[in-house]
Amino acid sequence: DAKTTQPPSMDCAEGRAANLPCNHSTISGNEYVYWYRQIHSQGPQYIIHGLKNNETNEMASLIITEDRKSSTLILPHATLRDTAVYYCIVRVVDQAGTALIFGKGTTLSVSS
Amino acid sequence: SAVISQKPSRDICQRGTSLTIQCQVDSQVTMMFWYRQQPGQSLTLIATANQGSEATYESGFVIDKFPISRPNLTFSTLTVSNMSPEDSSIYLCSVIAPRNEQYFGPGTRLTVT
């Protein structure tokens, strides 16, 4: 069973911030929150990950609540090219290298 | 990061035949994985390809149907055997890079007629 819950779809206007929520209420202390996206017909692309602190990179920001039961991926200025399926995944980071297990994700549609 | 290439990028095959998909990585990696993405669905993990040992298969996937080879730390193959139309999917190779980020190849789009 998926460990995360995401809305099936969201819309966003071009140039506005896209805020994608994710619930992971059963997350364990050693599990990280990862975000990936998949643009149509391409392999999934890594966006960002975090444990408990908020993270920011050139693509997005990740806000994790203090109790770690939910998080939000923020695309600060969405463009048409950000239209994709976004996956929120919790994963143990260990020496063995655990594979990502994908849920259904959120389909983000950015329109002009 | 890791750059992954897959061959072929797409193929159309007859039922009952087999297809071998190749995955090449530009750096040595310990962990390689194979996923399947059926039309309109999310990704499903098929197996973990371990160098020097048998692949580890997820529930619902068996070695006779999806034999995997991992001859070295940069290469792996997945064979889809005795294909049926239900095997029509995108097959993706994936690796874990040193910073524990997981990277994906572009996928192989398989259509079985």
Side-chain angles (χ1 to χ4, degrees), chain A residues 4-60:
Chain A
T4 63
T5 303
Q6 300 177 251
S9 63
M10 294 184 65
D11 296 319
C12 181
E14 189 177 23
R16 303 297 295 269
N19 297 283
L20 290 86
C22 179
N23 286 320
H24 31 79
S25 58
T26 61
I27 191 170
S28 301
N30 62 346
E31 287 182 314
Y32 285 67
V33 179
Y34 280 78
W35 283 85
Y36 280 74
R37 74 180 182 184
Q38 186 175 27
I39 297 171
H40 183 62
S41 297
Q42 298 181 21
Q45 176 190 23
Y46 167 82
I47 300 174
I48 199 168
H49 76 282
L51 182 61
K52 52 186 176 182
N53 297 322
N54 297 337
E55 303 288 343
T56 296
N57 62 22
E58 63 279 4
M59 291 184 65

Side-chain angles (χ1 to χ4, degrees), chain B residues 32-47:
Chain B
M32 294 183 76
F33 309 100
W34 287 97
Y35 287 80
R36 179 176 74 181
Q37 188 170 29
Q38 295 176 300
Q41 304 296 313
S42 183
L43 284 79
T44 300
L45 180 65
I46 297 172

Side-chain angles (χ1 to χ4, degrees), chain A residues 34 36 38 41 43-44 87 91 93 96-97 99-100 102-103, chain B residues 31 33 35 37 42-43 45 92 96 100-102 104-105 109:
Chain A
Y34 280 78
Y36 280 74
Q38 186 175 27
S41 297
Y87 297 98
R91 171 174 170 253
V93 176
L100 293 166
F102 287 78
Chain B
M31 308 300 295
F33 309 100
Y35 287 80
Q37 188 170 29
S42 183
L43 284 79
L45 180 65
L92 298 115
I96 292 182
N100 267 306
E101 296 163 7
Q102 190 167 335
F104 290 82
R109 183 180 296 272

